[in-house]
Amino acid sequence: MYKKILVPFDDSETSKHALQNALQLVDGVEGASITVLKVVEWHDYNAETFKIASRMSGVLGDSLDMNAISEIGDEAEGEVAARIREELSAVVGDGAADDISVVIVNGSPHDTIVAYASDMDFDCIVMGHRGMGVVRGMLGSVAFSVLQKANKPVLVVK
């Protein structure tokens, strides 16, 4: 029995099916929780790189307001979270969507999903697979990579 399930979410139909399956897995399980994980690949420019690029473009002078940069990142994350919440409500209904945690993490999907599941001690990963075939799977499918790397049970849903 799984009580703590991670559902990587990439806006695809199969990730929505994975969420529905995760809800079925925890149906009637007291204390069970589902976390939807959205992995984004925002470019992480350090302050010096940003400062040089902004001076070259004439946007900023000598000072760099790191608080302003942080606020922009927070705003982007909030927009992504709001969009995901809307999609969750459309898939599972408003009441059920309120009980699902949404986490947004910056990184490469292959490694971030596995690391997050391990670090946060999830019981199971339920994720979608786009069904691109064996060759595509071996060449870089996120689901294939998670299956190979995860030390947790993984349920792959089509």
Side-chain angles (χ1 to χ4, degrees), residues 75-105:
E75 183 178 326
E77 186 175 322
E79 290 172 6
V80 171
R83 185 179 46 75
I84 291 172
R85 284 256 169 240
E86 287 177 19
E87 289 188 46
L88 294 181
S89 294
V91 173
V92 302
D94 289 331
D98 293 339
D99 296 332
I100 298 172
S101 299
V102 175
V103 175
I104 301 168
V105 178

Side-chain angles (χ1 to χ4, degrees), residues 5-8 10 12-25 124-132 141-144 146-147 153-158:
I5 297 179
L6 180 65
V7 180
D10 66 357
S12 68
E13 285 302 311
T14 57
S15 66
K16 293 172 186 176
H17 294 156
L19 178 59
Q20 292 167 337
N21 278 268
L23 286 166
Q24 291 174 357
L25 284 173
C124 181
I125 302 168
V126 180
M127 64 186 303
H129 185 302
R130 293 191 179 151
M132 294 180 186
S141 166
V142 173
F144 183 80
V146 170
L147 276 168
V154 179
L155 173 61
V156 179
V157 177
K158 282 191 172 189

Side-chain angles (χ1 to χ4, degrees), residues 92-121:
V92 302
D94 289 331
D98 293 339
D99 296 332
I100 298 172
S101 299
V102 175
V103 175
I104 301 168
V105 178
N106 182 17
S108 167
H110 303 263
D111 297 323
T112 302
I113 293 166
V114 173
Y116 191 81
S118 180
D119 292 348
M120 301 307 288
D121 199 28

Side-chain angles (χ1 to χ4, degrees), residues 38-45 72-81 83 104-108:
K38 175 70 174 179
V39 180
V40 293
E41 295 185 76
W42 287 319
H43 295 287
D44 182 19
Y45 297 106
I72 292 169
D74 292 345
E75 183 178 326
E77 186 175 322
E79 290 172 6
V80 171
R83 185 179 46 75
I104 301 168
V105 178
N106 182 17
S108 167

